[in-house]
Amino acid sequence: MDVNVRKIHSFVGRCLYLFLLNGTMKAYGVILERTVSSFHTNHDMVGFIFTFQTCVAFMTAPAVNLLEGRLSPRIVAVVGGLLASAGFVCRAVIPPTALWQLLMALTITGLGFGMVNFVTLVCLKDAFGKKYPTAYTVAFFSLYVGICTLPPLLEYLTRNFGESVGMMVFGGLTSVLVVSGLFTEDGGESSIDRASGDSSPESTMDADAEKDDVVSVDRVRRECDDITGRFSLFTEHRKFVFLFVSVILAYSGYLSWSIYLVPYGQYLGLDPTTAVWLSTIGGIGGIFGKAFGLPLLGREGLAIPLGVIIPTILLAVSYGITLFQDGLGILAAMSIVSGYCLSIWGCIVSAVVPLTVCDYHFKDAIATVAFFSGAAGMIGGLMTGAVCDISESYRYSFAMLAVEGLAGTVVSLMWYWSASVSPVEKPAIEEKSSLLNSQ
């Protein structure tokens, strides 16, 4: 397959996934209060269940990593699209009457999104190579387009036709992932094979060198594949540890913000139509965040202070202000600032993963980050809802998010310090590979 065609397919597939996963998850804030009332339960339980879709999508990454090694990426992507759509259709055809039924439907959808997530990430990395951080960040614009558009759409459909119609529409939209999956390269040529296909002497020499590196790494892995070696992701890449913690904090806060922003506006007296536009405003802020983050990619010295440290400080301040001021203008400003900060924070820490790990560890890195981000988001949604129920106020829920922002600031400062004072280390696996090449 032509290189440019592969880039287009992988990029469009990633955009569709981000648009649908995050847009539908953000839209759940529109029906949160209605769900709490209809099931006669608490906010913590509903918040936990609503974050389950996204958390399952992340936490299945290690299993999908193993599955993708046994099945073709195309099959995994198509089945994932079918499951994601089926979860919404099930909620439309058989409206849940108990929380466990809602949980099952969200689990099915989350499993589908999880399969699509891993395949689109790997395909994007394989297609774009060194330009992966830029492609990853540009694709993230679709995430905030989904946040801008899908919550108002669900609010309109629910108000005029009922929640079942809204879920059916979401199911139809999500079925596009099946079509996208059909265009996924079915275990096709690798980046090395594509380079070998170029007849120029320079590309041939590069391809031969890359093949030698891969063979050496594979030899070392076969010799060192023991229990201790499985922890080499953390032991050989110390900067990844700080990135790992930062991503967990970012996604935990992001999921809680997504679920509880619209209900917070309703709690403060805004009518549902006005409150849902807070989500759109936050999505617009996220688009600005991505645009600002693009020039920072590949510049770790600037990306950490401008893309992580400052946004986490602003995030904590914006959440803290809502404890004392709750006018519509303040909420709108908080929404756009938080959308901007969460966007650039998540963008930078996720896009620079290839800068903190070697190529061999890339799949392990994204699977590990995804799993623990999902777990953190699940706990975050549960804790945010619990704080709301105990205090009987959404204010303190956002105060907890402010604390998460401060924690993110501390971790990012440690990350920046580590990147500044620590010498650039060559992973042990690469050192062993170099020794084998020299023999």
Side-chain angles (χ1 to χ4, degrees), residues 293-309:
L294 276 173
L296 300 178
L297 297 178
R299 304 176 181 178
E300 193 174 6
L302 292 176
I304 300 175
L306 298 182
V308 182
I309 297 175

Side-chain angles (χ1 to χ4, degrees), residues 327-341:
L328 178 58
I330 296 295
L331 281 178
M334 182 273 288
S335 181
I336 197 168
V337 169
S338 57
Y340 171 87
C341 293

Side-chain angles (χ1 to χ4, degrees), residues 264-284:
Y264 184 35
Q266 295 175 343
Y267 165 78
L268 294 175
L270 300 178
D271 64 88
T273 303
T274 303
V276 77
W277 286 107
L278 292 174
S279 173
T280 300
I281 294 172
I284 294 172

Side-chain angles (χ1 to χ4, degrees), residues 242-267:
F242 296 110
L243 179 144
F244 171 74
V245 178
S246 190
V247 169
I248 288 176
L249 291 171
Y251 273 102
S252 175
Y254 166 71
L255 291 181
S256 297
W257 172 78
S258 298
I259 294 293
Y260 289 100
L261 178 61
V262 174
Y264 184 35
Q266 295 175 343
Y267 165 78

